[in-house]
């Protein structure tokens, strides 16, 4: 039977936060996504936007159109419907089909021209740069959520062997496409931004494009693998993507 | 049909209600920092969106501390609202908080704010700017929306919507009683400086130690100079006033995964000085959320310039709801009155 429990707490006076668990994992993610989709399908007037995160789902509402109490009651009704549906569906362990799950192979150039902190990351773990790249490209990373910056993916699954603390003082300019490490997280800067992550490479892809729907190339629920490429190929892909857009 | 910017003022951008539907893509909400003043400015010039939910989404020019100078190449009905500013139209004092027909060739100069810090210039018909991801608001850091995703510069020509000859039937309101007392009530900057900013408790309020909860609610806090559209940092001390430095502490260390945030969320980073998330704040955050500014007080809070001392008062969610309902009634009254005046003859 599916675990459909969550707690509801206010997030200010224009949003509710639904908490599905304490630990971010695939199971928690699937429950959040299933509920997110169930609420979105209802198209209730007054719900402005749903935003999923690691272990929670924010429901932003317009207090002019719906009160927190009515919204809470509605969410509990959806929960009731959903658990009935899921039970009769008898789908087993996971509350949703994985038809939308994608694996993205993201090309990354780990050349020192882009990987400004690659040597630092390597030396702080007593490795050489190619070992860091090997470890970083061996894993598959689950996208728990998009947040912080437009299109910024929070990736889970970084090997503890290359986990490295943030820089003590952030850079003022990290170029779009930069791939970095912060603690046990790894991520990609989709737009130019200041940032404190240890930068180990750069992808030639454009991760946030206003002309695309949705604008973020990576979506929560995707799986990401990094594929090492050389400088020549980086420039080639970069030129191609400029031509397309 | 354009406005030409002669002098850009400070951090002048195009803003509307905000960009709500892409937070799940990491796109920040943006929108007017003072939503009341932005809305009143639009109501004054008759920009209303009659579609439910009746929340006007007309773009206005927003400026900070110093307003822009603008040449009008067409007649236009405009209103300036928000903080209080010295403004001149061709050298004559320009009235604040009233719709006014500016003629072709005239120059409006908005100078420095003497009360509040955010100002809005709304134009009847609105700005001819295509929405990006459902909104005309500018987010400068990610170069999304507004005028080429950036602040307004000298020489920019901002297209305005052609207003169908409406200009000449526009009431001057010269002899009308207008609900100015309502405007004063709504006007953040006009509220007595001593009145507290109301907050509601956040998910992690109870994790603060007792002294910190007391300090948050009884001591003065100062808006830091390091405040912007992303967030207002609160400082516990003011060198000029010789006040002591304090920090807020959690009763025990607390680690959390990043969670969604909201505009008005009061975050507590490890250093112990709270940050209030404002319109351009990141969509998620990993710091404890000790409180939220009540929605009805966000505009008044936003209008406090750096260095201002403020106090906080804790209210319940129920009280916040009642305040929201009362505010909505006031807005409805104001809107009804302006609609009535606009449909009546000029000499009313």
């Amino acid at each position: 039977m599916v675990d459909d429990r969550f707690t509801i707490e206010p997030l200010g006076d224009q949003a509710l936060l639904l908490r599905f668990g304490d630990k971010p994992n695939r199971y928690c993610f699937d429950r959040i996504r299933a509920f997110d989709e169930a609420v979105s399908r209802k198209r209730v007037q007054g719900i402005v936007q749903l935003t999923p995160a690691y272990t929670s789902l924010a429901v932003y509402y317009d207090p002019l159109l719906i009160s927190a109490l009515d919204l809470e009651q509605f969410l509990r009704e959806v929960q009731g419907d959903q658990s009935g549906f899921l039970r009769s569906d008898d789908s087993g362990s996971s509350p949703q089909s994985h038809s939308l799950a994608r694996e993205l192979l993201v090309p990354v150039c780990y050349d020192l021209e882009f990987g400004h902190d690659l040597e630092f990351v390597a030396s702080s773990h007593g490795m050489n740069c190619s070992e860091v790249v090997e470890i970083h490209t061996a894993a598959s990373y689950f996208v728990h959520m998009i947040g912080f910056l437009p299109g910024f993916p929070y990736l889970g699954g970084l090997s503890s062997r290359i986990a490295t603390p943030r820089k003590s003082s952030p850079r003022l300019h990290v170029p779009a496409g930069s791939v970095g490490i912060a603690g046990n997280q790894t991520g990609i800067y989709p737009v130019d931004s200041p940032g404190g992550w240890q930068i180990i490479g750069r992808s030639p892809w454009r991760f946030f494009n206003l002309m695309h729907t949705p604008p973020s190339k990576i979506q929560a629920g995707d799986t990401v693998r990094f594929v090492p490429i050389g400088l020549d190929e980086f420039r080639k892909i970069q030129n191609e993507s400029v031509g397309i857009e | 049909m354009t406005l030409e910017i002669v002098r850009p003022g400070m951090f002048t951008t195009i803003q509307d209600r905000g960009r709500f539907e892409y937070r799940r893509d990491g796109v920040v909400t943006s929108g007017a920092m003072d939503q009341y003043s932005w809305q009143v400015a639009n109501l004054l010039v008759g920009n209303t969106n009659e579609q439910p939910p009746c929340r006007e989404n007309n773009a206005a020019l927003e400026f900070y501390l110093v307003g822009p100078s603008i040449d009008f190449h067409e007649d236009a009905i405009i209103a300036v609202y928000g903080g209080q500013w010295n403004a001149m139209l061709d050298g004559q004092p320009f009235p604040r908080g009233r719709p006014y027909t500016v003629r072709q060739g005239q120059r409006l100069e908005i100078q420095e704010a003497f009360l509040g810090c955010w100002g809005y210039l709304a134009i009847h018909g609105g700005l001819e700017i295509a929405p990006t991801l459902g909104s005309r608001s500018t987010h400068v850091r990610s170069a999304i929306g507004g005028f080429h995703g950036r602040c307004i510069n000298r020489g920019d020509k901002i297209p305005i919507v052609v207003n169908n000859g409406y200009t000449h039937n526009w009431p001057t309101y010269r002899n009308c009683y207008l609900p100015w007392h309502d405007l004063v009530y709504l006007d953040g900057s006009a509220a007595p400086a001593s009145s507290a900013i109301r907050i509601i408790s956040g998910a992690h309020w109870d994790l603060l130690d007792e002294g910190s909860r007391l300090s948050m609610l009884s001591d003065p806090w100062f808006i830091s100079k390091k405040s912007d559209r992303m967030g207002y940092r609160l400082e516990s001390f003011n060198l000029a006033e010789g006040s002591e430095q304090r920090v807020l502490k959690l009763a025990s260390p607390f680690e959390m995964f990043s969670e969604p945030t909201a505009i008005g969320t009061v975050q507590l980073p490890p250093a112990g000085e709270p940050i209030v998330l404002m319109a351009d704040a990141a969509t998620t955050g990993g710091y404890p959320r000790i409180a939220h500014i009540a929605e009805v007080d966000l505009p008044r809070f936003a209008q406090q310039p750096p260095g201002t001392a403020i106090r906080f008062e804790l209210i319940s969610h129920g009280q916040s709801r009642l305040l929201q309902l009362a505010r909505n009634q006031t807005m409805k009254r104001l809107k009804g009155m302006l609609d009535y005046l606009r449909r009546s003859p000029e000499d009313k």
Side-chain angles (χ1 to χ4, degrees):
Chain A
M1 192 164 81
V2 170
D3 178 4
D4 54 17
R5 284 168 301 173
F6 56 80
T7 59
I8 299 181
E9 64 189 55
L11 176 65
D13 48 10
Q14 300 183 86
L16 295 177
L17 190 71
L18 282 50
R19 210 177 275 288
F20 288 76
D22 298 325
K23 290 205 172 64
N25 52 41
R26 191 59 195 255
Y27 178 62
C28 191
F29 176 88
D30 286 344
R31 288 165 53 220
I32 292 170
R33 165 167 278 187
F35 193 75
D36 180 359
E37 286 172 357
V39 173
S40 301
R41 271 197 300 273
K42 301 268 184 181
R43 297 184 173 277
V44 173
Q45 204 190 30
I47 294 183
V48 175
Q49 155 92 112
L50 295 137
T51 304
Y54 275 120
T55 59
S56 56
L57 176 69
V59 182
Y60 297 89
Y61 62 93
D62 185 338
L64 259 176
L65 298 176
I66 193 166
S67 72
L69 284 176
D70 289 344
L71 179 58
E72 189 166 338
Q73 193 185 348
F74 163 75
L75 294 171
R76 289 300 181 194
E77 279 165 20
V78 175
Q79 181 188 24
D81 294 351
Q82 195 198 16
S83 57
F85 168 74
L86 288 166
R87 273 180 212 116
S88 63
D89 192 36
D90 196 31
S91 56
S93 62
S94 183
Q96 65 134 33
S97 68
H98 291 289
S99 57
L100 293 172
R102 301 183 301 171
E103 186 177 63
L104 294 173
L105 299 176
V106 176
V108 176
C109 178
Y110 292 91
D111 193 279
L112 292 180
E113 184 181 335
F114 301 135
H116 304 294
D117 303 314
L118 183 58
E119 284 179 321
F120 174 81
V121 170
S123 66
S124 61
H125 294 282
M127 302 178 182
N128 58 44
C129 291
S130 58
E131 283 173 293
V132 173
V133 173
E134 207 170 288
I135 294 168
H136 195 250
T137 52
S140 117
Y141 302 96
F142 184 68
V143 182
H144 286 277
M145 61 194 248
I146 306 289
F148 170 49
L149 289 169
F152 187 94
Y154 284 81
L155 302 176
L158 182 72
S159 165
S160 56
R161 289 159 64 205
I162 54 173
T164 315
R166 282 181 174 78
K167 298 180 75 66
S168 51
S169 136
R171 282 196 176 86
L172 290 176
H173 180 81
V174 178
S178 293
V179 174
I181 289 175
N184 54 10
Q185 301 181 86
T186 184
I188 306 163
Y189 282 83
V191 293
D192 293 357
S193 161
W197 291 39
Q198 308 283 356
I199 303 303
I200 59 170
R202 195 184 302 173
S203 172
W205 279 10
R206 195 167 158 189
F207 293 92
F208 187 82
N209 189 332
L210 290 170
M211 297 300 141
H212 293 173
T213 311
S216 176
K217 191 170 193 111
I218 300 178
Q219 291 284 307
D222 290 345
T223 304
V224 168
R225 278 176 175 278
F226 296 111
V227 180
I229 56 168
L231 268 174
D232 289 346
E233 200 173 348
F234 179 93
R235 308 236 186 269
K236 198 176 140 220
I237 298 174
Q238 202 175 34
N239 290 339
E240 279 167 4
S241 62
V242 167
I244 293 162
E245 287 148 4
Chain B
M1 305 297 270
T2 57
L3 307 177
E4 185 172 345
I5 306 297
V6 183
R7 188 175 50 78
M10 257 174 80
F11 215 85
T12 303
T13 55
I14 291 170
Q15 299 293 343
D16 61 14
R17 197 167 130 64
R19 188 172 280 112
F20 294 92
E21 286 158 38
Y22 294 87
R23 283 185 76 95
R24 65 167 64 230
D25 291 286
V27 177
V28 310
T29 301
S30 309
M33 286 287 279
D34 172 354
Q35 293 274 329
Y36 289 166
S37 297
W38 163 79
Q39 200 177 355
V40 169
N42 271 306
L43 288 177
L44 287 169
V45 295
N47 288 345
T48 54
N49 174 4
E50 300 300 338
Q51 299 299 312
C54 292
R55 297 206 116 178
E56 295 70 19
N57 203 19
N58 294 295
L61 281 181
E62 179 186 87
F63 39 90
Y64 183 63
L65 292 171
V66 183
S69 288
I70 298 170
D71 278 351
F72 287 80
H73 295 319
E74 302 293 333
D75 290 0
I77 300 154
I78 68 167
V80 175
Y81 204 62
Q84 299 202 15
W85 317 74
N86 289 314
M88 307 295 258
L89 184 69
D90 279 350
Q92 298 295 313
F94 181 82
R96 167 182 179 273
R98 272 164 199 268
Y100 197 93
T101 304
V102 175
R103 299 297 172 188
Q104 183 180 357
Q106 288 193 301
R107 174 174 290 187
L108 177 70
E109 293 171 279
I110 306 172
Q111 293 151 2
E112 282 174 36
F114 57 87
L115 206 53
C117 52
W118 295 100
Y120 297 88
L121 188 153
I123 295 165
H124 172 68
L127 302 170
E128 185 84 76
I129 298 284
T132 304
L133 302 179
S135 164
R136 295 177 176 82
S137 289
T138 317
H139 183 234
V140 173
R141 269 189 66 184
S142 54
I144 293 175
F147 194 76
H148 305 299
R150 60 167 170 81
C151 290
I152 302 298
N153 290 336
R154 175 201 300 262
D156 284 347
K157 293 191 172 77
I158 300 166
I160 60 175
V161 173
V162 180
N163 68 36
N164 303 324
Y166 204 9
T167 317
H168 303 293
N169 300 322
W170 199 262
T172 58
Y173 299 145
R174 203 168 288 130
N175 304 315
C176 296
Y177 168 73
L178 272 175
W180 299 126
H181 63 285
D182 281 348
L183 294 189
V184 170
Y185 161 79
L186 290 167
D187 182 348
S189 56
S194 60
S195 72
I197 298 289
R198 289 162 289 197
I199 56 173
I200 47 183
S201 60
H204 309 113
W205 171 256
D206 290 333
L207 299 181
L208 285 173
D209 67 23
E210 207 183 325
S212 297
R213 286 196 300 255
L214 196 69
S215 168
M216 184 71 189
L217 297 176
S218 54
D219 293 329
W221 291 89
F222 299 89
I223 310 278
S224 161
K225 282 199 179 71
K226 288 177 282 178
S227 296
D228 55 21
R229 282 185 50 93
M230 278 186 81
Y232 280 16
R233 286 161 191 271
L234 301 177
E235 285 171 348
S236 59
F237 64 95
N238 182 312
L239 288 177
E241 298 189 8
S243 52
E244 279 176 53
Q245 183 165 7
R246 309 175 304 272
V247 291
L248 301 183
K249 288 198 272 306
L250 300 180
S252 57
F254 177 70
E255 284 287 325
M256 59 181 273
F257 288 98
S258 288
E259 286 181 353
T261 57
I263 296 173
T265 296
V266 186
Q267 283 191 336
L268 187 66
E273 289 190 318
I275 299 175
V276 183
L277 302 184
M278 302 302 277
D280 281 358
T283 56
T284 54
Y287 294 133
R289 298 186 302 274
I290 56 172
H292 302 268
I293 310 274
E295 189 219 339
V296 293
D297 276 355
L298 262 174
R300 189 155 58 90
F301 177 74
Q303 286 287 5
Q304 310 299 319
T308 317
I310 52 168
R311 285 176 192 275
F312 294 109
E313 178 192 344
L314 189 67
I315 62 169
S316 68
H317 284 86
Q319 285 170 301
S320 152
R321 174 78 187 151
L322 291 177
L323 290 168
Q324 283 172 334
L325 294 174
R327 187 267 324 269
N328 295 340
Q329 286 307 313
T330 310
M331 287 307 279
K332 259 189 205 157
R333 252 199 342 270
L334 172 65
K335 191 174 167 188
M337 192 165 275
L338 290 168
D339 281 350
Y340 172 74
L341 289 169
R342 202 157 41 243
R343 284 175 195 141
S344 309
E346 162 81 12
D347 59 355
K348 212 185 135 309

